Amino acid sequence: MSRHPRTPGDHSAPSAPRIPGAPRTPGALSEPAARATGLTKVYGKGETRVSALNAVSVEFARSRFTAVMGPSGSGKSTLMNCLAGLDTVTSGSARIGGTELSTLTERQLTALRRDKVGFVFQGFNLLPTLTAMENVTLPLRIAGRSPEADWLEAVVNTVGLSGRLGHRPAELSGGQQQRVAVARALVTRPEIVFADEPTGNLDSRSGSEVLGFLRDSVRELGQSVVMVTHDPVAAAHADRVVFLADGRVVDELSEPTAAAVLDRMLRFEAQGRTRTR
């Protein structure tokens, strides 16, 4: 399996997964991995009322890598949290596959996040007393499941961890720790992986490697990835970029390059300054 980051701007169609994913019905294949429809999220009341999302409708396709970008306060992290079941919606719909999140009990939401959603955060969130392998397989152990040997091997190879599985986090570099976090997010064969600024704590080389591993998880494992980022270079690893401003989807870009993403971001910032004058 390739372990090299994709060159930004290389947007050939993802190849068929080398390791088959969890079985899906033909109908499920046509469903987006995640979808927001008229999604509104309001915090506070009266003078403290803030509309973080305003009737957002957007779909995230299966087996694709999508970046979500926008100025600070645009609602990009709120959108991810609502779609991942980490936050409730004020109105509208948030779905993972065919599951409407608002219909679930707290116990059902917990099970969905455990079984169908993978998370990669800026902070690696690894348990320091566990080895890399123990951290990777922790979600399965919590769920009382055993790792599938072929899938675990495919995930470990995809993120380039084969030689570091017995090491604890303190013995790993920041980039290696984030690889462990990526593998942990993939090991349950989730419907979708949400990554929130996954390279924010990494140097440029380590960040590029981690982005390449996320890219490989889409191409080689058929994974669906949604990444929140402020970095045009990071966004250029994606198949598609969705832009938010003031809690709304304002644009999107397919087959992005870093230059094209930066141009769009500068344009939105200029429009924002004009509105506030």
Side-chain angles (χ1 to χ4, degrees), residues 9-170:
D10 171 14
H11 296 277
S12 55
S15 58
R18 298 185 185 180
I19 303 295
R24 297 190 178 106
T25 64
L29 289 173
S30 64
E31 290 178 341
R35 176 194 306 166
T37 306
L39 197 159
T40 295
K41 178 63 181 180
V42 176
Y43 295 102
K45 296 181 179 180
E47 293 182 357
T48 63
R49 186 179 187 275
V50 175
S51 293
L53 295 172
N54 296 293
V56 170
S57 294
V58 63
E59 295 183 351
F60 298 100
R62 293 188 185 276
S63 301
R64 302 291 279 175
F65 188 177
T66 307
V68 178
M69 300 193 74
S72 178
S74 62
K76 53 188 184 293
S77 290
T78 302
L79 175 62
M80 186 195 77
N81 289 339
C82 288
L83 285 173
L86 297 173
D87 202 352
T88 58
V89 305
T90 303
S91 62
S93 170
R95 288 176 175 266
I96 296 291
T99 302
E100 169 58 52
L101 302 189
S102 65
T103 66
L104 303 181
T105 66
E106 189 56 42
R107 176 176 291 185
Q108 290 170 328
L109 266 177
T110 299
L112 178 138
R113 290 192 295 262
R114 182 191 66 209
D115 298 334
K116 294 190 175 183
V117 182
F119 297 98
V120 183
F121 298 104
Q122 183 172 333
F124 315 131
N125 295 350
L126 304 181
L127 294 184
T129 59
L130 301 184
T131 65
M133 176 60 89
E134 289 168 339
N135 269 286
V136 168
T137 58
L138 182 61
L140 293 172
R141 296 206 307 276
I142 291 174
R145 293 159 52 192
S146 299
E148 298 175 41
D150 289 347
W151 179 255
L152 180 60
E153 181 182 6
V155 167
V156 166
N157 287 340
T158 297
V159 300
L161 277 174
S162 298
R164 310 294 288 177
L165 294 176
H167 293 69
R168 288 181 168 80

Side-chain angles (χ1 to χ4, degrees), residues 73 102-103 118 120 169 172 183 208 211 216:
S102 65
T103 66
V120 183
L172 302 173
S208 181
L211 290 166
D216 284 349

Side-chain angles (χ1 to χ4, degrees), residues 120-122 124 178 182 195-202 207 210-211 214 227-229:
V120 183
F121 298 104
Q122 183 172 333
F124 315 131
Q178 194 62 299
V182 170
D196 192 1
E197 300 282 4
T199 61
N201 285 337
L202 304 178
V210 168
L211 290 166
L214 287 171
M227 174 180 69
V228 169
T229 183

